[in-house]
Amino acid sequence: MSVRIYEADVLVIGGGATGSGVMRDLALRGINCILIDRKDLNAGASGGNHGLLHSGGRYATADAETAAECRHEGDILKRLAPECIDDCGGLFVAVDGDDEAFAAKFPEHCRVAGIPCEALSAAEAREREPALPEAILAAYAVPDATIDPFRIVLENVGHAERLNDSSYLPHMEIEGFEIIDGTVAKALCRDRRSGEAVEIRALQFINASGAWAEKVARLAGCSDVSLLYSKGTLLISNTRVTNGVVNRLRLPDDGDILVPGGTVSLLGTSSVTVDDPDGIAPTVPEVDRILAEGAAMLPVLNETRFVRAFSGVRPLLKSAGSEADGRKANRGFALFDHEDQGLSNFATVAGGKFTTFRLMAEKAGDLVAARLGNAEPCKTNLEPLPSGDALRWTEPGAAARDWYKRADPTDMVLCECEMVARSAVDTILADAPGAEDHMSLKAIALRSRIGKGACQGAFCSMRVTSHLYDRGVYDSPDGLRQMRDFVNERYKGIRPVLWGAQMPQTELAEILHCGLAGMDLAAAEEGADSK
């Protein structure tokens, strides 16, 4: 059997924020990389978070070091990647039932961590955020912001590819490593689409696979990485509820943060320790608790329409006392060089926050560069992150502004909720990192706003699929299977929020997908064929 072979200076495992950050860091030093992921970019925690660019305020009370890291890294990202960031500011507010003594200590904790913190009166807080309740015990303004996690990862990868022909390979799963005399010679992989065996040979190997970092380290024979898996669930509204981020002024708990994400808002999060990062999904009890807690901070949430819930897994460094409660686990990160495990060219970077991904990548880049004899310093703290035409479609409202500005009546809108036009899809197919001959509907949606509006793909799933058949991207029944997979994935998030206006919306989707497209019949036929 033939084996496909790739070679590079460095193999980076994990296509999230940290892995893409390592790829760009090394490319800026002139080091050629291959980045792989067993699924696609942002398939783990980097795509399953609330998009908060932390000021550090959330951790100021319990972990001043992590809080200070967040503040410092947030400032760097605001300066160098402004196109990915909404510098909207944030509030910490205490409401009825909260501990006033705890709230009074908050400014001092922020001062220790170097976080700007401005006390506001109740009237000033409500002027900034009219959705706040009348009874506000304390309020403080902090420099929170929001970040588009999908765009910044796409831009990291896109920049690295342009710098020195570094490359990204999606759907590439690690099955093992060939180790000779304490050196990893190659990674043994499997292309999950074709089933083909793949070997990737490199001089250095970086494990940045997030919640799967412990499993990947074990494949290399390393037992020093120990992670705690903390599942977090969030809800997405169909409107932007607040102008900026609103945090409950208490120790982190369920449903105590609302983050605006362009035209929507994200409410969360929960913390449930799980045994495995695979196969997680939001539950109705989690949704009910998050909404009840969030409504105490913002009563308008009781009347807000929620279109989706989703879950991600935080990969936290395991420590004494953290095994039972992910809230108590440290949010810092660690770099394992694995030299005490008998390996000289393998390393793991794990833990941390999305906000600190650049710093995590810098530390991993320093180690790899030193091992390769490369004296180039890190440049990601100085070099602005360039964008590209195929990388900008994840920004809420970008597709609508572009379509309106061009006023091209021949450019059909495929997603009416987010105004994603046919030309945007074509640009993604041609130039976005990870573009493939048979790019799935899910992959296109990850690189755009398709399926993220109120209808959650009811209409655009059919329109985009039809366009892909017209383009020749799909030329077999596989295209319909891709569409059904996409719709099923969206429904996992819709099911826990099926009340109010979302119920008739879902009934309409069922009419379209089953009554018109017969997707339920296709599933039944596949089941019969497999028996």
Side-chain angles (χ1 to χ4, degrees), residues 307-309 440-446 450-466 468 474 478-496 498 502 505-523:
V307 298
R308 182 173 178 79
S440 69
L441 180 57
K442 183 178 179 181
I444 294 169
L446 184 149
I450 284 172
K452 296 181 174 66
C455 87
Q456 288 289 291
F459 294 96
C460 63
S461 61
M462 303 178 74
R463 291 172 178 160
V464 176
T465 299
S466 296
L468 295 177
Y474 294 153
D478 185 61
L480 294 177
R481 286 191 287 270
Q482 298 277 12
M483 174 182 164
R484 189 170 65 251
D485 290 345
F486 174 75
V487 170
N488 283 339
E489 192 67 27
R490 302 314 291 175
Y491 185 69
K492 289 179 185 177
I494 295 169
R495 185 165 47 191
L498 273 180
Q502 201 58 24
Q505 179 73 67
T506 304
E507 290 175 343
L508 174 59
E510 182 182 18
I511 292 170
L512 292 171
H513 298 149
C514 298
L516 179 61
M519 291 171 61
D520 55 335
L521 299 178

Side-chain angles (χ1 to χ4, degrees), residues 22-31 33 159-160 163-164 166:
V22 172
M23 181 189 191
R24 178 175 182 251
D25 179 284
L26 294 176
L28 282 165
R29 302 179 199 238
I31 299 171
C33 304
H159 191 205
L163 281 168
N164 66 352
S166 290

Side-chain angles (χ1 to χ4, degrees), residues 318-333:
K318 191 177 288 187
S319 59
S322 68
E323 286 81 355
D325 186 358
R327 296 283 186 203
K328 296 178 181 178
N330 187 284
R331 262 41 177 188
F333 68 89

Side-chain angles (χ1 to χ4, degrees), residues 269-334:
T269 177
S270 60
S271 179
V272 180
T273 300
V274 295
D275 295 328
D276 193 281
D278 288 307
I280 62 163
T283 66
V284 171
E286 286 176 319
V287 168
D288 289 345
R289 175 166 171 75
I290 289 169
L291 184 55
E293 291 292 324
M297 180 175 68
L298 294 161
V300 69
L301 295 177
N302 284 318
E303 287 78 45
T304 297
R305 177 181 174 183
F306 290 92
V307 298
R308 182 173 178 79
F310 67 93
S311 298
V313 174
R314 307 175 187 91
L316 305 174
L317 298 174
K318 191 177 288 187
S319 59
S322 68
E323 286 81 355
D325 186 358
R327 296 283 186 203
K328 296 178 181 178
N330 187 284
R331 262 41 177 188
F333 68 89

Side-chain angles (χ1 to χ4, degrees), residues 12-28 33-37 40-42 46 148-161 163 166-168 206-210 349 354 357-358 360-362 380 385 433:
V12 183
I13 305 163
T18 304
S20 70
V22 172
M23 181 189 191
R24 178 175 182 251
D25 179 284
L26 294 176
L28 282 165
C33 304
I34 292 176
L35 173 70
I36 64 170
D37 195 280
D40 202 347
L41 297 174
N42 282 42
S46 295
D148 182 343
F150 297 95
R151 182 171 182 179
I152 202 162
V153 168
L154 284 165
E155 292 190 357
N156 279 334
V157 176
H159 191 205
E161 288 180 335
L163 281 168
S166 290
S167 58
Y168 165 57
I206 294 291
N207 172 19
S209 53
V349 58
F354 193 104
F357 84 84
R358 191 214 62 83
M360 296 169 67
E362 176 183 338
T380 58
L385 186 62

Side-chain angles (χ1 to χ4, degrees), residues 13-16 36-48 173-174 177 192 206-220 222 225-230 274-280 311-316 338 346-351:
I13 305 163
I36 64 170
D37 195 280
R38 68 181 187 135
K39 292 184 178 179
D40 202 347
L41 297 174
N42 282 42
S46 295
E173 184 164 18
I174 290 281
F177 297 92
R192 297 182 72 190
I206 294 291
N207 172 19
S209 53
W212 294 267
E214 181 176 337
K215 294 183 177 183
V216 172
R218 294 293 188 274
L219 291 175
C222 299
V225 179
S226 185
L227 298 179
L228 174 71
Y229 306 126
S230 174
V274 295
D275 295 328
D276 193 281
D278 288 307
I280 62 163
S311 298
V313 174
R314 307 175 187 91
L316 305 174
H338 297 307
F346 185 77
T348 295
V349 58

Side-chain angles (χ1 to χ4, degrees), residues 234-239 264-267 304-310 449 452 456 490 497:
L234 297 109
L235 316 184
I236 304 177
S237 69
N238 73 323
T239 56
V264 302
S265 296
L266 292 89
L267 174 66
T304 297
R305 177 181 174 183
F306 290 92
V307 298
R308 182 173 178 79
F310 67 93
R449 297 288 300 172
K452 296 181 174 66
Q456 288 289 291
R490 302 314 291 175
V497 297

